[in-house]
Amino acid sequence: MAHVKAKILNKEQVAPSIFKLSLLCPEIASSAIPGQFVHVECGKGKSFILRRPFSVYRQASKETFEILFQVVGKGTESLAEAEVNSYLDIIGPLGNGFKLSNNCKKVLLVSGGIGIAPLTFLAEKLYSTEIIFDMLIGFANYKKVIDFSLQEKIADRIHYSTDDGSLGLKGTTVELLLDYLKQSKKPDTIFACGPEPMLKQVALIAKQNKVPCFISLEERMACGIGACLSCVCNTINGYKRVCADGPVFDASEIIWD
């Protein structure tokens, strides 16, 4: 874990209200694994006392990495206004990421909305291996779809859903998953990230189909290192800290409200 000033090399709006920042930071870029996150100071003053967590979206090189974020409040509004060549105060990489066991031969990545961020990083890692994988990606509409580096190379492995039917299946990511499984495309492992209601349903479907499932939870965090206990979730093994014990958990451990 490093506490550094990372230089903003590039800022790009990739969809309405969604931005991508490219950051120069060898300490984090060289050691991050898919599923880990960074904790970012998004501004100065009382409104920005708490840092905001963002998944590592891409490991662009051994010196640079990218984060993807949606503007949802003052912190992300401030981050969207950050200027190229300025510096961000960042702690990372933090948390436990996705782990690939020897049983992972054919895996499925399931994302909803901005949940595509950590799964893009995972997809790039999988692409360099012999593990077969498909991606199920859900957005509200085609305008929200985020292009990513592997998109053309794995086009036949990507399946989209949109709420309004403007791209792919008309419906939710969960409906896309059910449709995928109906076609006897049973994976040996599912990795998922997205809104909690989506993750709850993905976990249930995985259990019903006896497929191991690992999910990346999103929670508000204060410290990001497990000290403040502000991000705990309920599991069959007691309360666990999303920041330090996760954010990736075995879905079968989670007790959903």
Side-chain angles (χ1 to χ4, degrees):
M1 180 183 73
H3 184 182
V4 296
K5 299 288 187 182
K7 185 178 182 178
I8 300 175
L9 297 179
N10 190 47
K11 180 177 71 175
E12 180 182 358
Q13 184 169 0
V14 296
S17 303
I18 299 177
F19 292 81
K20 180 176 70 176
L21 292 184
S22 178
L23 302 166
L24 177 61
C25 184
E27 298 90 340
I28 294 176
S30 61
S31 59
I33 64 171
Q36 287 190 303
F37 68 97
V38 293
H39 221 199
V40 181
E41 187 178 85
C42 293
K44 302 295 182 184
K46 293 182 180 179
S47 298
F48 307 106
I49 292 176
L50 299 181
R51 294 169 179 268
R52 271 66 167 179
F54 301 102
S55 298
V56 177
Y57 173 53
R58 288 195 66 232
Q59 191 177 42
S61 72
K62 291 184 178 179
E63 296 187 336
T64 62
F65 73 97
E66 297 172 351
I67 60 173
L68 190 72
F69 64 93
Q70 184 167 1
V71 175
V72 293
K74 290 184 178 179
T76 44
E77 281 179 4
S78 177
L79 197 59
E81 294 170 356
E83 297 182 356
V84 172
N85 292 325
S86 65
Y87 288 81
L88 291 178
D89 189 297
I90 292 180
I91 299 174
L94 296 170
N96 295 302
F98 296 106
K99 295 179 180 176
L100 298 171
S101 72
N102 293 331
N103 295 326
C104 292
K105 305 296 183 185
K106 179 183 176 184
V107 306
L108 182 63
L109 313 185
V110 183
S111 73
I114 201 73
I116 194 174
L119 296 182
T120 297
F121 190 6
L122 180 58
E124 291 188 341
K125 289 294 182 183
L126 290 171
Y127 188 71
S128 65
T129 72
E130 295 183 351
I131 299 173
I132 299 171
F133 69 97
D134 284 342
M135 296 184 74
L136 307 186
I137 303 173
F139 288 105
N141 56 63
Y142 81 94
K143 293 181 180 178
K144 290 283 189 179
V145 173
I146 299 163
D147 294 333
F148 56 99
S149 60
L150 281 178
Q151 199 163 10
E152 293 186 4
K153 295 178 181 177
I154 61 170
D156 60 334
R157 305 181 194 176
I158 301 175
H159 308 269
Y160 286 104
S161 69
T162 49
D163 294 345
D164 63 358
S166 54
L167 179 65
L169 177 79
K170 182 178 181 180
T172 66
T173 311
V174 172
E175 291 171 302
L176 182 62
L177 173 59
L178 290 171
D179 185 66
Y180 179 90
L181 294 174
K182 281 181 182 176
Q183 299 175 38
S184 301
K185 296 180 179 179
K186 186 175 179 179
D188 56 45
T189 309
I190 294 175
F191 298 102
C193 185
E196 184 174 312
M198 184 205 93
L199 293 179
K200 182 178 180 179
Q201 291 301 314
V202 171
L204 177 62
I205 293 168
K207 181 180 179 180
Q208 291 170 339
N209 286 272
K210 299 180 180 179
V211 179
C213 178
F214 297 87
I215 57 173
S216 179
L217 294 178
E218 297 175 340
E219 284 289 344
R220 291 182 177 274
M221 300 174 185
C223 72
I225 56 174
C228 70
L229 306 180
S230 66
C231 63
V232 293
C233 65
N234 199 6
T235 79
I236 58 175
N237 298 310
Y239 284 99
K240 291 195 173 182
R241 304 159 299 178
V242 173
C243 65
D245 300 314
V248 176
F249 290 91
D250 185 329
S252 65
E253 294 183 12
I254 303 298
I255 298 175
W256 304 96
D257 293 332

